[in-house]
Amino acid sequence: MTISAPEATPTKLEQTGQLGYKKHTDGGWGVVPIQTRSDRFRSTDVADFPALTGREAVWKLTPIDRISDLIDGELDGGEYAYSATAVDGVDIRWVDRDDTRIGTAGTPEERGSANAWTRFEKALAVTVSGEEAKTVRIDRSQFGIAPRAAHVLIEAKPFSSALVILENTGSARLSENVEILVGDGADLTVVTVQQWDDEAAHLASHFTVVGRDARIKHVVVTLGGSVVRINPSTHLNSSGGEVEALGLYFADAGQHLEQQVYVNHDAPHTRSRVTYKGALQGEGARTVWIGDVLIRQTATATDSYEQNRNLVLTDGTRADSIPNLEIETGDIAGAGHASATGRFDDEQLFYLQARGIKEEEARRLVVRGFLTEIVQQIGDADLQARLEVAIEEELSGTSLTSDGR
Amino acid sequence: MSVLEIRDLHVSVETEQGSKPILRGVDLTIKKGETHAIMGPNGSGKSTLAYTIAGHPKYTVDSGSITLDGVDVLAMSVDERARAGLFLAMQYPVEIPGVTVTNFLRTAKTAIDGEAPPIRHWIKDVKNSMKDLRMDATFAERNVNEGFSGGEKKRHEILQMELLKPTFAVLDETDSGLDVDALKIVSEGVNRAKENTNLGVLLITHYTRILRYIKPDFVHVFVDGRIAEQGGPELADRLENEGYDRFLVGEATTA
Ligand SMILES: Nc1ncnc2c1ncn2[C@@H]1O[C@H](COP(=O)(O)OP(=O)(O)O)[C@@H](O)[C@H]1O
Ligand SMILES: [Mg+2]
């Protein structure tokens, strides 16, 4: 059989993604790590971590010189101003460090996270109860420019249901830990949105532990900030637990946006889906995605899939995409990963242009469509609408003309 | 009276091994309201002709011309050609993740007309056209071509053609992969467009069966990058009985 032009561009998802990407070459595909992910050193005390060299696995792709205050410096760990919608079944209050829930979802694996843990004075505790669905929005816009530590605790009581949105705007130099406790049978969505000012720096480690037959949807949306690094880890240590981890990031010139996503399958019949999508435009726009999935011997009949896709809009950008899959049991229901970074698919542009749509608008449609998959899954119409607008603004920040072809 | 003229067209494709000549002197004139069938074996260059008319960047015109009412089509960008009234129903329609059919159709219609269509009219038009093509209403909210079956993709191409109302449409193997019911539905769509807008059609096909439902005024046999023979509808019947062997043998002996 002869193959005509469009057929010659493969569109198989596994291989190249729907945008005609090439597989990323410097990913850690199938490489056995020296140390299993769960064996990493952990401590809540910053003094237990040596000073950084920048060569550490968790830091080597991060511009640590731009955030040394957060990693090494004194941090203000006191209360900060926030505003939240009042919702039945959601209690929000400051709690002391000795709250018994603190430290039960996870503990720091690196110095920046430990520094925040060492310095925070009060934790902002969000406690969700009641089976009916509800949405609570917590706006944080008052951090200011002094380096800060924060600790957030989100607990969903057994069988409760809620969507918790953390909206971050304004200026900030913030290192924080977010603990998320999902009780048995609970259904919790946590969305963290970073639309910081241009100069902001934000390090966050999210630790989620998922109860029996419980479900967490965790969404990271990062559009604004100079250096933003959000590392969500999820421990599936009860049977039937499920995580859907979604991410969307849009890096402009000079921005460094990073996420290290870790799913630890520890119990049987657990399920994970990780989907992160990013767009990059402008000189020095930089993104990092590292996705570790560990399926332990105890985690039989688990089902996991992780993917990261990056769409490069201009020259001068760099996207690192590194999936790692560690499987310690032969008995799994499914495990897969995909990673791709690429430019526009010419066939998509041609199709749209062949319907009269101008090249520039065709490019916008493709990018918007690419990112919309994540936006659509957030589950809050108001936030989704605002993000669509924000993405539109990001897109109009550059003229999306073709790359000199 | 609109006319699409192709004169001594030579086209090559960029491959990894370099430039490969495919079309070797195509001459074709299509007037509005006429239906021309182009029939030929696989690999003879039919899709290359279709893509060249639409302006796909992979194909390079080495010589010759394409004009629409005397205006140089080859000087136009892909989207300009579409706005000038040319439409290509693709053999392999492309998936556009995250872009709904509704959004896509409205954006395309707005681009073609130069202004947004009046909303109530437009919604009704889309609904009716979808109904005519036996497309479920839920289609509108799906992403363009994503997860569509082969038949659904082809109906979606015809839907676009009916809504965008081009002057000339090139249908590249719209019939291939369709069962007989879908073939009839798609053919009805083409016939409606011919009737309603006096569409000129360049119907590219490998088989004769679609010609039972769409009556061609002219049949061109396409072999090795050029038109080897042309005639009326009776030529299709001959091909049905004899196949392409006659032309291919001729090729072999002259080679
Ligand atoms: N993009 C391409 N890259 C390489 N070869 C191509 C490409 N497009 C077409 N060809 C070659 O050109 C010839 C004609 O192809 P095509 O126009 O698709 O024929 P048809 O549609 O009649 O089957 C074939 O030999 C095909 O392999
Ligand atoms: Mg073809």
Side-chain angles (χ1 to χ4, degrees):
Chain A
M1 205 195 90
T2 50
I3 293 173
S4 70
E7 221 180 25
T9 304
T11 50
K12 257 188 82 190
L13 196 73
E14 276 294 326
Q15 297 302 319
T16 54
Q18 67 272 59
L19 288 157
Y21 305 115
K22 298 246 169 9
K23 263 188 195 172
H24 203 260
T25 43
D26 57 20
W29 290 79
V31 178
V32 181
I34 306 141
Q35 171 204 38
T36 189
R37 174 69 206 247
S38 58
D39 288 347
R40 276 192 195 162
F41 176 75
R42 297 170 165 275
S43 171
T44 56
D45 186 354
V46 65
D48 291 342
F49 291 88
L52 300 195
T53 62
R55 292 189 299 273
E56 296 81 359
V58 295
W59 292 112
K60 68 172 187 234
L61 298 171
T62 314
I64 56 172
D65 49 320
R66 282 157 71 184
I67 46 170
S68 54
D69 54 341
L70 298 179
I71 298 167
D72 295 322
E74 283 293 328
L75 304 173
D76 173 358
E79 293 178 14
Y80 50 85
Y82 69 90
S83 68
T85 44
V87 178
D88 278 351
V90 181
D91 178 82
I92 305 178
R93 67 179 67 202
W94 292 102
V95 299
D96 292 326
R97 287 180 65 96
D98 61 4
D99 188 290
T100 53
R101 294 171 293 182
I102 287 176
T104 57
T107 44
E109 289 186 349
E110 37 84 356
R111 195 175 157 93
S113 168
N115 199 28
W117 201 298
T118 302
R119 322 266 182 193
F120 84 91
E121 289 159 22
K122 296 266 187 179
L124 187 65
V126 180
T127 308
V128 172
S129 54
E131 290 188 27
E132 63 293 338
K134 50 204 161 288
T135 299
V136 59
R137 211 181 107 187
I138 302 168
D139 282 310
R140 305 192 300 173
S141 59
Q142 311 281 318
F143 284 109
I145 54 168
R148 279 191 157 274
H151 199 101
V152 178
L153 185 86
I154 302 171
E155 182 193 12
K157 297 281 191 194
F159 300 103
S160 67
S161 168
L163 166 60
V164 178
I165 302 169
L166 281 176
E167 285 218 57
N168 299 310
T169 54
S171 54
R173 299 201 67 81
L174 173 68
S175 181
E176 69 173 340
N177 293 289
V178 177
E179 290 191 76
I180 303 169
L181 305 164
V182 190
D184 292 348
D187 183 1
L188 178 69
T189 299
V190 173
V191 185
T192 178
V193 183
Q194 287 65 241
Q195 285 187 281
W196 300 115
D197 288 352
D198 288 348
E199 300 305 314
H202 181 200
L203 299 180
S205 294
H206 287 219
F207 305 100
T208 302
V209 59
V210 181
R212 187 184 170 85
D213 299 324
R215 177 168 188 275
I216 172 96
K217 187 195 284 186
H218 186 273
V219 191
V220 178
V221 178
T222 302
L223 303 177
S226 171
V227 179
V228 179
R229 184 175 115 137
I230 312 277
N231 295 349
S233 61
T234 306
H235 196 181
L236 295 166
N237 64 347
S238 297
S239 153
E242 185 180 326
V243 59
E244 174 112 33
L246 302 168
L248 183 168
Y249 45 95
F250 199 128
D252 288 313
Q255 276 187 305
H256 176 99
L257 308 182
E258 175 167 354
Q259 29 268 309
Q260 300 185 14
V261 186
Y262 173 36
V263 178
N264 182 354
H265 284 269
D266 216 349
H269 298 286
T270 49
R271 183 175 189 275
S272 67
R273 288 289 179 276
V274 177
T275 311
Y276 272 65
K277 286 187 157 188
L280 298 90
Q281 70 184 8
E283 196 60 38
R286 180 91 164 79
T287 65
V288 176
W289 178 87
I290 301 174
D292 293 343
V293 174
L294 170 62
I295 300 169
R296 313 197 62 170
Q297 228 165 356
T298 44
T300 53
T302 58
D303 180 12
S304 70
Y305 194 84
E306 59 165 349
Q307 59 172 323
N308 172 229
R309 302 195 182 280
N310 296 299
L311 186 55
V312 171
L313 307 182
T314 67
D315 290 333
T317 69
R318 177 174 164 183
D320 285 272
S321 179
I322 307 173
N324 296 302
L325 187 53
E326 272 184 87
I327 307 178
E328 297 175 349
T329 170
D331 175 13
I332 54 168
H337 54 184
S339 157
T341 297
R343 284 184 177 269
F344 283 102
D345 180 351
D346 290 340
E347 297 303 334
Q348 291 183 340
L349 287 183
F350 173 72
Y351 190 75
L352 293 169
Q353 285 182 265
R355 299 304 178 242
I357 300 167
K358 287 182 183 155
E359 179 175 352
E360 173 119 351
E361 188 172 7
R363 285 175 181 272
R364 277 180 210 291
L365 268 181
V366 171
V367 182
R368 227 188 290 149
F370 173 74
L371 295 175
T372 291
E373 182 195 344
I374 303 295
V375 176
Q376 279 170 350
Q377 293 184 68
I378 289 175
D380 181 66
D382 168 64
L383 177 58
Q384 288 175 202
R386 280 185 291 123
L387 289 176
E388 301 276 1
V389 172
I391 290 168
E392 208 58 44
E393 279 168 9
E394 294 281 342
L395 279 171
S396 57
T398 191
S399 114
L400 286 173
T401 48
S402 59
D403 39 292
R405 282 180 315 106
Chain B
M1 177 61 79
S2 271
V3 56
L4 180 66
E5 273 192 284
I6 300 169
R7 284 285 158 267
D8 196 25
L9 190 69
H10 291 252
V11 171
S12 52
V13 65
E14 304 312 319
T15 71
E16 283 175 7
Q17 291 78 38
S19 173
K20 177 182 167 189
I22 304 206
L23 299 188
R24 305 152 186 275
V26 177
D27 286 288
L28 192 62
T29 302
I30 308 173
K31 296 202 183 83
K32 200 164 159 55
E34 292 178 352
T35 296
H36 293 244
I38 291 209
M39 307 191 58
N42 273 335
S44 57
K46 304 183 299 295
S47 288
T48 301
L49 177 63
Y51 280 116
T52 304
I53 295 170
H56 195 291
K58 242 187 207 149
Y59 300 91
T60 308
V61 176
D62 299 316
S63 63
S65 67
I66 303 177
T67 55
L68 177 61
D69 299 331
V71 181
D72 184 4
V73 169
L74 296 176
M76 301 180 195
S77 64
V78 176
D79 47 296
E80 282 167 353
R81 296 178 197 205
R83 292 198 297 275
L86 299 177
F87 181 89
L88 169 61
M90 291 186 208
Q91 188 174 358
Y92 304 105
V94 182
E95 296 182 8
I96 321 270
V99 178
T100 62
V101 168
T102 300
N103 183 12
F104 168 64
L105 292 175
R106 198 190 328 104
T107 307
K109 183 67 176 172
T110 304
I112 297 273
D113 289 3
E115 58 180 0
I119 187 79
R120 287 177 64 190
H121 249 275
W122 174 244
I123 289 173
K124 211 174 86 203
D125 285 354
V126 173
K127 261 201 187 134
N128 288 341
S129 294
M130 284 179 63
K131 210 160 93 201
D132 287 341
L133 290 164
R134 321 277 201 285
M135 296 172 81
D136 194 87
T138 57
F139 239 88
E141 290 318 311
R142 290 172 64 185
N143 292 334
V144 172
N145 291 321
E146 211 176 52
F148 287 20
S149 70
E152 289 170 340
K153 284 183 183 168
K154 297 302 175 72
R155 282 185 226 195
H156 181 229
E157 294 294 287
I158 299 305
L159 174 69
Q160 294 166 52
M161 185 188 79
E162 286 202 68
L163 290 168
L164 299 179
K165 304 194 187 331
T167 318
F168 291 99
V170 180
L171 310 182
D172 190 3
E173 296 206 24
T174 300
D175 54 333
S176 58
L178 296 185
D179 62 30
V180 65
D181 291 334
L183 183 64
K184 281 185 194 162
I185 291 167
V186 159
S187 302
E188 281 168 21
V190 175
N191 289 329
R192 263 195 309 274
K194 283 172 55 168
E195 191 153 309
N196 294 341
T197 62
N198 201 26
L199 178 71
V201 179
L202 186 60
L203 183 70
I204 295 175
T205 180
H206 183 76
Y207 308 101
T208 51
R209 61 180 197 141
I210 195 172
L211 304 182
R212 270 178 248 152
Y213 306 104
I214 303 174
K215 289 290 165 217
D217 302 301
F218 304 93
V219 173
H220 311 265
V221 182
F222 209 75
V223 179
D224 197 25
R226 59 165 76 93
I227 291 169
E229 189 167 332
Q230 41 195 332
E234 74 290 344
L235 184 53
D237 300 332
R238 241 186 107 188
L239 284 172
E240 167 116 51
N241 298 327
E242 298 172 14
Y244 297 113
D245 287 358
R246 182 162 59 95
F247 301 100
L248 297 173
V249 168
E251 280 296 311
T253 48
T254 51

